[in-house]
Amino acid sequence: MTQQSENFDASDSGAPSLSEITAPELSYLATVDVAVDAPITIGTTVDGLRKVVPIRGGRVSGPGLSGEVLNAGADFQQYPSDTVAHLAADYVLKTDDGHHILVENRAIRTGSSDDLNKVMSGEHVDPEKIYFRCVPRLTADESGPYAWMSEVLFIGSGVRSPNGVRIDIFQVL
């Protein structure tokens, strides 16, 4: 710790006290089941092992959103070590009422090197052994019914299966 951070006192900063700040709560929006093709391996780069996983479709269903995942997008994966994966998936949803929503999802997936290798090889691994959290950004046409999604934060938990990914998405209230 630096001397400056050791001496920091929030009460001196004019900031509200912890009792004045409302802790965030979560509201379940939907589950997205994404179907994927086999990974395209780029190889080991300056950024670690790189792969691209094509997104081929799927469904989204829940109290706040329902529709399909379009065959448009990919998950760009970076493995800086044998226990960490950084994921950047961009794809499009088409709601049951005909609107499009762009999903830009950033995630981290961690686990033992053995378990992550199994996941990368398409084998099933107990989801409790893998930490998979994400921050999906959802955007839609400003004049449509889903414009509000651009003004809030979402977080999610994911599970990778041999043929896809399941993500539970929650709005941060």
Side-chain angles (χ1 to χ4, degrees), residues 89-138:
D90 294 346
Y91 52 97
V92 180
L93 305 176
K94 183 177 181 182
T95 64
D96 286 342
D97 56 357
H99 297 273
H100 292 103
I101 298 171
L102 178 63
V103 179
E104 298 170 287
N105 194 17
R106 303 303 175 255
I108 186 167
R109 188 169 59 207
T110 62
S112 72
S113 63
D114 184 50
D115 286 338
L116 279 186
N117 281 330
K118 287 179 182 175
V119 168
M120 289 169 55
S121 299
E123 296 178 47
H124 176 76
V125 174
D126 178 356
E128 294 295 318
K129 293 183 170 186
I130 303 292
Y131 178 86
F132 185 173
R133 301 294 184 266
C134 59
V135 182
R137 181 173 181 239
L138 307 177

